[in-house]
Amino acid sequence: MMMAFFNFCCLMSWQAFAAPATPDAAAGKTKAQTCFACHGENGMGIEPPIPNLAAQPPLAIFYQLVQFREGMRKGGAMESFAKPLTDNDIRDIAAYFSTLPPPPAREGDVAKISIGKQIAQQQYCNSCHAPQFQGQKQVSRLAGQSKDYFITQLRNIRSGTRVDMDGTMGSAARGVSDAQIDALAEYAASLP
Ligand code: HEC
Ligand code: HEC
């Protein structure tokens, strides 16, 4: 009986003081004001080289921001925007962008889209990025992503200019040609 009470107290205090606060999307919106100039309040990049963040999995946003903050990933001056953020800020910001409605599907070259879909299946891209490229856990959403951004990133990951967390994306990227990357980007952008 005493033991059970002790355990209960420990559990309660651990939850109150040691666990990270539950991510707060409303606080995230306040903390993301400086981001809106480029990523939009609706999570849509204002220019083709700027990624859409809307509906990306929170963990994917989290890990990319940590990579920028630690200087492991560089680009778009994101290192300096990520620098002042604490882990809790990042969790709140990720909660905000991840709960926004996804980017709308875009029309594109029908032949390219179908080739892109075939390559995605042959190369098992969906096994990590999920069946409709909606992303999951730490794996980025690709559906509705800017083509321009998609192409640059995949080329950078293939060449190693952009690091990837555990090398899995790097080895997936080595198998695709420029023409295939183009078709994959067209396919991803066409998905809702
Ligand atoms: C001046 C424009 C600009 C501002 C302001 C900005 N970003 Fe970015 N962001 C970019 C660009 C450009 C990239 C792509 C970088 C690259 O080429 O690798 C990017 C990439 C990202 C990514 C990676 C997305 C992915 O799919 O991997 C995240 C997450 C992100 N930004 C979040 C933020 C947050 C949060 C803020 C505010 C604290 C912010 N950005 C402010 C331009 C900006
Ligand atoms: C084994 C899992 C895995 C497979 C297979 C995989 N990816 Fe990825 N991919 C990831 C992860 C994880 C990331 C995040 C990069 C990182 O590690 O920082 C990523 C990132 C990306 C990005 C950058 C997205 C962004 O928002 O910046 C693109 C584009 C991409 N993958 C396309 C593909 C394509 C196309 C394929 C198939 C040829 C593929 N991936 C296969 C795990 C995978």
Side-chain angles (χ1 to χ4, degrees), residues 59-116:
L59 209 54
I61 297 176
F62 180 85
Y63 279 120
Q64 294 310 316
L65 283 170
V66 169
Q67 286 187 32
F68 283 124
R69 186 182 65 190
E70 309 306 326
M72 290 149 68
R73 179 176 169 190
K74 298 189 170 72
M78 274 307 302
E79 307 92 279
S80 54
F81 294 115
K83 193 131 225 158
L85 303 176
T86 65
D87 284 1
N88 263 339
D89 293 341
I90 294 181
R91 278 190 202 96
D92 291 347
I93 291 172
Y96 172 69
F97 284 115
S98 66
T99 45
L100 294 173
R106 257 160 276 170
E107 286 181 24
D109 182 325
V110 180
K112 252 195 209 178
I113 291 172
S114 108
I115 295 169

Short mmCIF file of all heavy atoms in Angstrom, two decimals, residues 59-116:
data_model
loop_
_atom_site.label_atom_id
_atom_site.label_comp_id
_atom_site.label_asym_id
_atom_site.label_seq_id
_atom_site.Cartn_x
_atom_site.Cartn_y
_atom_site.Cartn_z
N LEU A 59 6.98 15.71 -35.91
CA LEU A 59 8.33 15.23 -35.64
C LEU A 59 9.29 15.56 -36.79
O LEU A 59 10.48 15.80 -36.57
CB LEU A 59 8.28 13.71 -35.40
CG LEU A 59 9.34 13.12 -34.47
CD1 LEU A 59 9.36 13.83 -33.13
CD2 LEU A 59 9.09 11.62 -34.27
N ALA A 60 8.77 15.58 -38.02
CA ALA A 60 9.59 15.93 -39.18
C ALA A 60 10.04 17.39 -39.07
O ALA A 60 11.21 17.71 -39.28
CB ALA A 60 8.82 15.69 -40.47
N ILE A 61 9.11 18.28 -38.73
CA ILE A 61 9.44 19.69 -38.56
C ILE A 61 10.44 19.83 -37.41
O ILE A 61 11.45 20.54 -37.53
CB ILE A 61 8.17 20.53 -38.27
CG1 ILE A 61 7.21 20.47 -39.48
CG2 ILE A 61 8.53 21.97 -37.92
CD1 ILE A 61 5.89 21.18 -39.27
N PHE A 62 10.19 19.11 -36.34
CA PHE A 62 11.06 19.18 -35.16
C PHE A 62 12.51 18.84 -35.54
O PHE A 62 13.43 19.61 -35.28
CB PHE A 62 10.56 18.22 -34.07
CG PHE A 62 11.40 18.21 -32.83
CD1 PHE A 62 11.18 19.15 -31.83
CD2 PHE A 62 12.43 17.30 -32.67
CE1 PHE A 62 11.97 19.16 -30.68
CE2 PHE A 62 13.23 17.31 -31.53
CZ PHE A 62 13.00 18.24 -30.53
N TYR A 63 12.71 17.70 -36.18
CA TYR A 63 14.08 17.27 -36.47
C TYR A 63 14.78 18.19 -37.47
O TYR A 63 15.99 18.42 -37.37
CB TYR A 63 14.12 15.82 -36.95
CG TYR A 63 14.06 14.85 -35.79
CD1 TYR A 63 13.04 13.92 -35.69
CD2 TYR A 63 15.02 14.89 -34.78
CE1 TYR A 63 12.97 13.04 -34.61
CE2 TYR A 63 14.95 14.01 -33.70
CZ TYR A 63 13.93 13.09 -33.63
OH TYR A 63 13.86 12.23 -32.56
N GLN A 64 14.05 18.71 -38.44
CA GLN A 64 14.70 19.61 -39.40
C GLN A 64 15.13 20.90 -38.71
O GLN A 64 16.22 21.42 -38.96
CB GLN A 64 13.78 19.90 -40.59
CG GLN A 64 13.50 18.67 -41.46
CD GLN A 64 14.76 17.92 -41.87
OE1 GLN A 64 15.76 18.53 -42.25
NE2 GLN A 64 14.74 16.59 -41.77
N LEU A 65 14.29 21.43 -37.82
CA LEU A 65 14.66 22.66 -37.12
C LEU A 65 15.85 22.44 -36.18
O LEU A 65 16.72 23.30 -36.06
CB LEU A 65 13.46 23.23 -36.35
CG LEU A 65 12.45 23.96 -37.25
CD1 LEU A 65 11.17 24.29 -36.49
CD2 LEU A 65 13.05 25.24 -37.85
N VAL A 66 15.90 21.27 -35.56
CA VAL A 66 17.06 20.96 -34.72
C VAL A 66 18.32 20.88 -35.59
O VAL A 66 19.36 21.42 -35.23
CB VAL A 66 16.84 19.65 -33.91
CG1 VAL A 66 18.12 19.18 -33.25
CG2 VAL A 66 15.75 19.85 -32.86
N GLN A 67 18.20 20.26 -36.75
CA GLN A 67 19.36 20.18 -37.66
C GLN A 67 19.84 21.57 -38.09
O GLN A 67 21.04 21.82 -38.16
CB GLN A 67 19.01 19.37 -38.92
CG GLN A 67 18.90 17.87 -38.68
CD GLN A 67 18.71 17.11 -40.00
OE1 GLN A 67 19.21 17.50 -41.05
NE2 GLN A 67 17.96 16.02 -39.94
N PHE A 68 18.90 22.49 -38.36
CA PHE A 68 19.29 23.87 -38.72
C PHE A 68 19.94 24.54 -37.51
O PHE A 68 20.98 25.19 -37.62
CB PHE A 68 18.07 24.68 -39.16
CG PHE A 68 17.57 24.40 -40.55
CD1 PHE A 68 16.26 24.01 -40.79
CD2 PHE A 68 18.42 24.56 -41.66
CE1 PHE A 68 15.80 23.76 -42.08
CE2 PHE A 68 17.95 24.33 -42.96
CZ PHE A 68 16.64 23.93 -43.16
N ARG A 69 19.30 24.37 -36.35
CA ARG A 69 19.81 25.04 -35.14
C ARG A 69 21.23 24.60 -34.82
O ARG A 69 22.08 25.41 -34.45
CB ARG A 69 18.89 24.75 -33.95
CG ARG A 69 19.26 25.52 -32.69
CD ARG A 69 18.37 25.16 -31.53
NE ARG A 69 18.54 23.77 -31.11
CZ ARG A 69 17.75 23.14 -30.24
NH1 ARG A 69 16.72 23.78 -29.71
NH2 ARG A 69 17.97 21.88 -29.92
N GLU A 70 21.49 23.30 -35.00
CA GLU A 70 22.83 22.76 -34.69
C GLU A 70 23.80 22.95 -35.85
O GLU A 70 24.95 22.51 -35.76
CB GLU A 70 22.74 21.27 -34.33
CG GLU A 70 21.70 20.91 -33.26
CD GLU A 70 21.84 21.69 -31.96
OE1 GLU A 70 22.98 22.02 -31.58
OE2 GLU A 70 20.80 22.00 -31.33
N GLY A 71 23.35 23.57 -36.94
CA GLY A 71 24.22 23.83 -38.08
C GLY A 71 24.54 22.60 -38.91
O GLY A 71 25.46 22.62 -39.74
N MET A 72 23.79 21.51 -38.71
CA MET A 72 24.01 20.30 -39.52
C MET A 72 23.41 20.46 -40.90
O MET A 72 23.91 19.95 -41.88
CB MET A 72 23.38 19.09 -38.83
CG MET A 72 24.10 18.68 -37.55
SD MET A 72 22.93 17.96 -36.37
CE MET A 72 22.51 16.46 -37.23
N ARG A 73 22.26 21.13 -40.97
CA ARG A 73 21.65 21.43 -42.26
C ARG A 73 21.74 22.94 -42.47
O ARG A 73 21.51 23.70 -41.53
CB ARG A 73 20.18 20.97 -42.29
CG ARG A 73 19.49 21.27 -43.60
CD ARG A 73 18.07 20.74 -43.67
NE ARG A 73 17.42 21.30 -44.86
CZ ARG A 73 16.13 21.20 -45.14
NH1 ARG A 73 15.34 20.53 -44.32
NH2 ARG A 73 15.63 21.74 -46.23
N LYS A 74 22.09 23.35 -43.69
CA LYS A 74 22.21 24.77 -43.99
C LYS A 74 21.36 25.11 -45.20
O LYS A 74 21.17 24.27 -46.08
CB LYS A 74 23.68 25.12 -44.26
CG LYS A 74 24.59 24.86 -43.07
CD LYS A 74 25.98 25.43 -43.32
CE LYS A 74 26.84 25.40 -42.06
NZ LYS A 74 27.28 24.03 -41.71
N GLY A 75 20.87 26.35 -45.26
CA GLY A 75 20.11 26.78 -46.42
C GLY A 75 19.04 27.78 -46.06
O GLY A 75 18.44 27.70 -44.99
N GLY A 76 18.84 28.75 -46.97
CA GLY A 76 17.77 29.73 -46.80
C GLY A 76 17.89 30.54 -45.53
O GLY A 76 16.89 31.03 -45.04
N ALA A 77 19.10 30.69 -45.00
CA ALA A 77 19.34 31.42 -43.74
C ALA A 77 18.58 30.78 -42.58
O ALA A 77 18.39 31.42 -41.54
CB ALA A 77 18.98 32.90 -43.88
N MET A 78 18.12 29.54 -42.76
CA MET A 78 17.34 28.88 -41.71
C MET A 78 18.15 28.66 -40.43
O MET A 78 17.58 28.60 -39.34
CB MET A 78 16.79 27.54 -42.21
CG MET A 78 15.47 27.62 -42.94
SD MET A 78 14.19 28.47 -42.02
CE MET A 78 14.14 27.50 -40.54
N GLU A 79 19.48 28.57 -40.57
CA GLU A 79 20.31 28.37 -39.37
C GLU A 79 20.07 29.51 -38.37
O GLU A 79 19.93 29.27 -37.17
CB GLU A 79 21.81 28.32 -39.70
CG GLU A 79 22.20 27.34 -40.78
CD GLU A 79 22.21 27.96 -42.16
OE1 GLU A 79 21.12 28.07 -42.75
OE2 GLU A 79 23.27 28.32 -42.65
N SER A 80 20.02 30.75 -38.90
CA SER A 80 19.87 31.89 -37.99
C SER A 80 18.45 31.98 -37.43
O SER A 80 18.26 32.42 -36.30
CB SER A 80 20.29 33.19 -38.65
OG SER A 80 19.59 33.35 -39.85
N PHE A 81 17.45 31.57 -38.22
CA PHE A 81 16.07 31.61 -37.69
C PHE A 81 15.86 30.54 -36.62
O PHE A 81 15.06 30.71 -35.71
CB PHE A 81 15.05 31.43 -38.82
CG PHE A 81 15.05 32.57 -39.79
CD1 PHE A 81 15.43 32.38 -41.11
CD2 PHE A 81 14.71 33.85 -39.38
CE1 PHE A 81 15.45 33.44 -42.01
CE2 PHE A 81 14.73 34.92 -40.27
CZ PHE A 81 15.11 34.71 -41.58
N ALA A 82 16.55 29.43 -36.75
CA ALA A 82 16.37 28.32 -35.80
C ALA A 82 17.19 28.51 -34.53
O ALA A 82 16.85 27.97 -33.48
CB ALA A 82 16.73 27.00 -36.47
N LYS A 83 18.27 29.29 -34.64
CA LYS A 83 19.22 29.44 -33.52
C LYS A 83 18.57 29.78 -32.19
O LYS A 83 18.85 29.13 -31.18
CB LYS A 83 20.28 30.50 -33.88
CG LYS A 83 21.46 30.49 -32.95
CD LYS A 83 22.76 30.49 -33.72
CE LYS A 83 23.71 29.49 -33.13
NZ LYS A 83 24.74 29.05 -34.07
N PRO A 84 17.69 30.82 -32.14
CA PRO A 84 17.16 31.20 -30.81
C PRO A 84 16.10 30.25 -30.25
O PRO A 84 15.66 30.44 -29.10
CB PRO A 84 16.54 32.58 -31.07
CG PRO A 84 16.33 32.67 -32.52
CD PRO A 84 17.22 31.71 -33.19
N LEU A 85 15.68 29.24 -31.01
CA LEU A 85 14.54 28.42 -30.57
C LEU A 85 14.96 27.33 -29.59
O LEU A 85 15.94 26.61 -29.81
CB LEU A 85 13.87 27.76 -31.79
CG LEU A 85 13.37 28.70 -32.89
CD1 LEU A 85 12.83 27.89 -34.07
CD2 LEU A 85 12.30 29.66 -32.36
N THR A 86 14.20 27.19 -28.49
CA THR A 86 14.40 26.08 -27.56
C THR A 86 13.65 24.86 -28.10
O THR A 86 12.81 24.99 -29.01
CB THR A 86 13.83 26.41 -26.17
OG1 THR A 86 12.40 26.54 -26.30
CG2 THR A 86 14.41 27.71 -25.61
N ASP A 87 13.91 23.70 -27.52
CA ASP A 87 13.18 22.49 -27.93
C ASP A 87 11.67 22.68 -27.77
O ASP A 87 10.88 22.26 -28.61
CB ASP A 87 13.62 21.27 -27.10
CG ASP A 87 14.99 20.75 -27.53
OD1 ASP A 87 15.59 21.34 -28.46
OD2 ASP A 87 15.46 19.76 -26.94
N ASN A 88 11.27 23.34 -26.67
CA ASN A 88 9.84 23.58 -26.45
C ASN A 88 9.24 24.52 -27.49
O ASN A 88 8.13 24.29 -27.96
CB ASN A 88 9.59 24.13 -25.05
CG ASN A 88 9.19 23.03 -24.09
OD1 ASN A 88 8.72 21.97 -24.51
ND2 ASN A 88 9.36 23.28 -22.80
N ASP A 89 9.99 25.58 -27.86
CA ASP A 89 9.52 26.49 -28.92
C ASP A 89 9.29 25.68 -30.19
O ASP A 89 8.27 25.83 -30.88
CB ASP A 89 10.58 27.56 -29.25
CG ASP A 89 10.81 28.54 -28.11
OD1 ASP A 89 9.95 28.64 -27.23
OD2 ASP A 89 11.88 29.20 -28.11
N ILE A 90 10.26 24.82 -30.51
CA ILE A 90 10.18 24.04 -31.75
C ILE A 90 8.97 23.11 -31.72
O ILE A 90 8.25 22.98 -32.71
CB ILE A 90 11.50 23.25 -31.99
CG1 ILE A 90 12.64 24.24 -32.25
CG2 ILE A 90 11.34 22.28 -33.15
CD1 ILE A 90 13.98 23.59 -32.53
N ARG A 91 8.72 22.49 -30.57
CA ARG A 91 7.55 21.60 -30.45
C ARG A 91 6.25 22.37 -30.67
O ARG A 91 5.35 21.91 -31.35
CB ARG A 91 7.52 20.94 -29.07
CG ARG A 91 8.41 19.73 -28.99
CD ARG A 91 8.19 18.93 -27.72
NE ARG A 91 9.37 18.14 -27.48
CZ ARG A 91 10.37 18.49 -26.68
NH1 ARG A 91 10.32 19.59 -25.97
NH2 ARG A 91 11.44 17.72 -26.57
N ASP A 92 6.17 23.59 -30.08
CA ASP A 92 4.96 24.41 -30.24
C ASP A 92 4.79 24.83 -31.70
O ASP A 92 3.69 24.75 -32.26
CB ASP A 92 5.04 25.66 -29.34
CG ASP A 92 4.93 25.32 -27.86
OD1 ASP A 92 4.55 24.17 -27.54
OD2 ASP A 92 5.23 26.19 -27.03
N ILE A 93 5.88 25.27 -32.32
CA ILE A 93 5.82 25.71 -33.71
C ILE A 93 5.43 24.54 -34.62
O ILE A 93 4.60 24.68 -35.53
CB ILE A 93 7.18 26.33 -34.14
CG1 ILE A 93 7.40 27.67 -33.42
CG2 ILE A 93 7.25 26.52 -35.65
CD1 ILE A 93 8.77 28.29 -33.62
N ALA A 94 6.01 23.38 -34.34
CA ALA A 94 5.70 22.19 -35.14
C ALA A 94 4.22 21.83 -34.98
O ALA A 94 3.56 21.44 -35.94
CB ALA A 94 6.59 21.02 -34.73
N ALA A 95 3.71 21.98 -33.75
CA ALA A 95 2.29 21.69 -33.51
C ALA A 95 1.41 22.62 -34.34
O ALA A 95 0.41 22.21 -34.91
CB ALA A 95 1.96 21.82 -32.02
N TYR A 96 1.82 23.89 -34.41
CA TYR A 96 1.04 24.85 -35.19
C TYR A 96 0.99 24.46 -36.67
O TYR A 96 -0.08 24.28 -37.26
CB TYR A 96 1.60 26.28 -35.03
CG TYR A 96 0.94 27.25 -35.97
CD1 TYR A 96 -0.40 27.61 -35.80
CD2 TYR A 96 1.62 27.75 -37.08
CE1 TYR A 96 -1.04 28.45 -36.70
CE2 TYR A 96 0.98 28.60 -37.99
CZ TYR A 96 -0.34 28.95 -37.79
OH TYR A 96 -0.98 29.77 -38.68
N PHE A 97 2.17 24.33 -37.31
CA PHE A 97 2.19 24.07 -38.75
C PHE A 97 1.58 22.70 -39.10
O PHE A 97 0.92 22.56 -40.12
CB PHE A 97 3.62 24.18 -39.31
CG PHE A 97 4.10 25.60 -39.45
CD1 PHE A 97 5.16 26.08 -38.70
CD2 PHE A 97 3.49 26.46 -40.36
CE1 PHE A 97 5.61 27.39 -38.83
CE2 PHE A 97 3.93 27.78 -40.50
CZ PHE A 97 4.99 28.24 -39.74
N SER A 98 1.79 21.72 -38.24
CA SER A 98 1.32 20.37 -38.57
C SER A 98 -0.20 20.26 -38.55
O SER A 98 -0.76 19.38 -39.19
CB SER A 98 1.93 19.35 -37.62
OG SER A 98 1.44 19.56 -36.31
N THR A 99 -0.87 21.17 -37.82
CA THR A 99 -2.33 21.06 -37.74
C THR A 99 -3.04 21.93 -38.79
O THR A 99 -4.26 21.95 -38.85
CB THR A 99 -2.83 21.45 -36.33
OG1 THR A 99 -2.16 22.64 -35.91
CG2 THR A 99 -2.57 20.35 -35.33
N LEU A 100 -2.28 22.62 -39.64
CA LEU A 100 -2.90 23.42 -40.71
C LEU A 100 -3.38 22.50 -41.85
O LEU A 100 -2.82 21.43 -42.05
CB LEU A 100 -1.88 24.42 -41.27
CG LEU A 100 -1.42 25.52 -40.31
CD1 LEU A 100 -0.27 26.31 -40.94
CD2 LEU A 100 -2.57 26.45 -39.94
N PRO A 101 -4.40 22.93 -42.59
CA PRO A 101 -4.86 22.11 -43.73
C PRO A 101 -3.73 21.91 -44.75
O PRO A 101 -2.94 22.83 -44.97
CB PRO A 101 -5.98 22.96 -44.35
CG PRO A 101 -6.30 24.04 -43.38
CD PRO A 101 -5.15 24.18 -42.44
N PRO A 102 -3.65 20.72 -45.36
CA PRO A 102 -2.57 20.44 -46.30
C PRO A 102 -2.62 21.34 -47.54
O PRO A 102 -3.68 21.85 -47.88
CB PRO A 102 -2.80 18.98 -46.69
CG PRO A 102 -4.21 18.68 -46.31
CD PRO A 102 -4.57 19.60 -45.19
N PRO A 103 -1.48 21.49 -48.22
CA PRO A 103 -1.47 22.29 -49.45
C PRO A 103 -2.39 21.64 -50.49
O PRO A 103 -2.50 20.41 -50.51
CB PRO A 103 -0.02 22.22 -49.93
CG PRO A 103 0.77 21.63 -48.82
CD PRO A 103 -0.17 20.91 -47.92
N PRO A 104 -3.03 22.44 -51.33
CA PRO A 104 -3.91 21.86 -52.35
C PRO A 104 -3.11 21.09 -53.39
O PRO A 104 -1.97 21.45 -53.68
CB PRO A 104 -4.58 23.08 -52.98
CG PRO A 104 -3.69 24.23 -52.67
CD PRO A 104 -2.97 23.91 -51.40
N ALA A 105 -3.70 20.02 -53.94
CA ALA A 105 -3.06 19.26 -55.02
C ALA A 105 -2.94 20.16 -56.25
O ALA A 105 -3.83 20.95 -56.51
CB ALA A 105 -3.90 18.04 -55.33
N ARG A 106 -1.82 20.01 -56.96
CA ARG A 106 -1.64 20.84 -58.15
C ARG A 106 -1.74 20.02 -59.42
O ARG A 106 -1.30 18.88 -59.46
CB ARG A 106 -0.28 21.54 -58.10
CG ARG A 106 -0.45 23.00 -57.70
CD ARG A 106 0.83 23.57 -57.18
NE ARG A 106 0.99 23.24 -55.75
CZ ARG A 106 2.11 23.46 -55.10
NH1 ARG A 106 3.16 23.95 -55.71
NH2 ARG A 106 2.17 23.18 -53.81
N GLU A 107 -2.34 20.62 -60.45
CA GLU A 107 -2.38 19.92 -61.74
C GLU A 107 -1.00 19.96 -62.35
O GLU A 107 -0.23 20.87 -62.10
CB GLU A 107 -3.38 20.62 -62.67
CG GLU A 107 -4.81 20.31 -62.25
CD GLU A 107 -5.83 20.96 -63.17
OE1 GLU A 107 -5.48 21.24 -64.34
OE2 GLU A 107 -6.94 21.19 -62.71
N GLY A 108 -0.70 18.96 -63.16
CA GLY A 108 0.61 18.95 -63.79
C GLY A 108 0.59 18.10 -65.04
O GLY A 108 -0.49 17.73 -65.53
N ASP A 109 1.76 17.78 -65.53
CA ASP A 109 1.94 16.96 -66.73
C ASP A 109 1.52 15.52 -66.40
O ASP A 109 2.16 14.84 -65.60
CB ASP A 109 3.41 17.04 -67.10
CG ASP A 109 3.75 16.27 -68.36
OD1 ASP A 109 3.15 15.20 -68.59
OD2 ASP A 109 4.64 16.73 -69.09
N VAL A 110 0.41 15.08 -67.02
CA VAL A 110 -0.19 13.80 -66.67
C VAL A 110 0.77 12.62 -66.88
O VAL A 110 0.86 11.71 -66.05
CB VAL A 110 -1.51 13.57 -67.46
CG1 VAL A 110 -2.15 12.23 -67.11
CG2 VAL A 110 -2.49 14.70 -67.18
N ALA A 111 1.52 12.66 -67.97
CA ALA A 111 2.46 11.57 -68.27
C ALA A 111 3.56 11.52 -67.21
O ALA A 111 3.90 10.45 -66.69
CB ALA A 111 3.06 11.77 -69.65
N LYS A 112 4.09 12.70 -66.86
CA LYS A 112 5.16 12.77 -65.85
C LYS A 112 4.67 12.27 -64.49
O LYS A 112 5.38 11.57 -63.79
CB LYS A 112 5.61 14.24 -65.69
CG LYS A 112 6.97 14.55 -66.27
CD LYS A 112 7.43 15.88 -65.71
CE LYS A 112 8.35 16.58 -66.67
NZ LYS A 112 8.76 17.90 -66.16
N ILE A 113 3.44 12.66 -64.15
CA ILE A 113 2.87 12.26 -62.86
C ILE A 113 2.80 10.73 -62.79
O ILE A 113 3.17 10.13 -61.77
CB ILE A 113 1.47 12.88 -62.65
CG1 ILE A 113 1.59 14.40 -62.45
CG2 ILE A 113 0.76 12.26 -61.43
CD1 ILE A 113 0.27 15.15 -62.41
N SER A 114 2.38 10.10 -63.89
CA SER A 114 2.24 8.65 -63.83
C SER A 114 3.61 7.96 -63.80
O SER A 114 3.78 6.94 -63.13
CB SER A 114 1.31 8.15 -64.95
OG SER A 114 2.01 7.49 -65.94
N ILE A 115 4.60 8.53 -64.47
CA ILE A 115 5.98 7.98 -64.38
C ILE A 115 6.49 8.14 -62.94
O ILE A 115 7.06 7.22 -62.36
CB ILE A 115 6.93 8.69 -65.38
CG1 ILE A 115 6.50 8.39 -66.81
CG2 ILE A 115 8.38 8.26 -65.15
CD1 ILE A 115 7.20 9.24 -67.86
N GLY A 116 6.25 9.32 -62.37
CA GLY A 116 6.69 9.58 -60.99
C GLY A 116 6.08 8.59 -60.01
O GLY A 116 6.76 8.09 -59.11
#
